[in-house]
Amino acid sequence: MTDSTWWQLLLALGYGVLGSVIPIVNAEAFIVASVATAMINPVVVGLLLGLGHGIGKMALFQTVRQGRRRLFRKRPPKESSPTGQGIWRARWDRVVGWSISLVEHPRWGPVGFFLSGLISLPPNYLTTIIAATTRINFALFSVFLTAGFISRYVLIALAAAGVVGRIL
């Protein structure tokens, strides 16, 4: 490998990290540009972008988890309102409780993380923030979300290479 190839590989990894933290940085555009220039193998581009995206989400996960511990450490206990919560607040609390139980579920949690990385359903930011506020294992979250990102970007890169190859 030449020196320029290493820089391109590091750029793909760094672009993935940046794209996971700043949502307007589009990894798909990077894939199309790198496939069109044919400087890096599409599978390698997809692998590095997915790995970078996973690293960025891991950092966001740890930031939220550690920040939550520091923010809520010295708060006084919350007082309940005498009038009750209201119907919409009760419904919202049920939805939040259901989503937390789903994230912490031993079978469905990893599937949700993988799908979040693969098809962004549920959205990645929401999944990362909810998972960081629960008792989910960091390694479990990291492995499945990163595997979803890698699968997604490798598939997109291979599709883009096929489309560009047919056009040119």
Side-chain angles (χ1 to χ4, degrees):
M1 293 186 148
T2 63
D3 287 337
S4 65
T5 306
W6 286 107
W7 282 108
Q8 293 163 5
L9 297 176
L10 286 174
L11 180 66
L13 184 68
Y15 199 89
V17 171
L18 187 66
S20 70
V21 177
I22 304 171
I24 59 171
V25 177
N26 194 345
E28 288 83 359
F30 185 86
I31 289 172
V32 170
S34 64
V35 166
T37 58
M39 295 186 145
I40 309 174
N41 184 344
V43 174
V44 174
V45 169
L47 180 72
L48 288 174
L49 277 173
L51 184 63
H53 223 82
I55 290 169
K57 292 298 181 188
M58 288 179 224
L60 185 63
F61 180 95
Q62 286 298 337
T63 302
V64 170
R65 183 166 273 181
Q66 298 304 321
R68 186 183 69 111
R69 287 184 185 150
R70 289 194 177 106
L71 286 176
F72 296 118
R73 185 180 301 161
K74 296 182 181 178
R75 275 202 179 167
K78 195 175 183 181
E79 295 179 17
S80 61
S81 65
T83 59
Q85 292 182 347
I87 189 77
W88 290 106
R89 178 63 185 203
R91 287 178 183 170
W92 178 253
D93 286 345
R94 277 197 310 265
V95 168
V96 169
W98 176 77
S99 66
I100 288 173
S101 67
L102 191 61
V103 165
E104 290 179 340
H105 193 275
R107 289 189 189 130
W108 292 110
V111 171
F113 301 144
F114 182 77
L115 289 176
S116 178
L118 184 65
I119 58 176
S120 289
L121 257 172
N124 299 324
Y125 257 90
L126 183 63
T127 303
T128 303
I129 291 171
I130 288 175
T133 60
T134 64
R135 294 173 292 151
I136 193 71
N137 186 353
F138 173 70
L140 185 74
F141 169 81
S142 302
V143 167
F144 281 94
L145 191 70
T146 303
F149 284 132
I150 289 172
S151 303
R152 172 194 206 169
Y153 292 132
V154 166
L155 288 172
I156 291 172
L158 289 173
V163 168
V164 170
R166 288 185 183 256
I167 292 173
L168 298 177

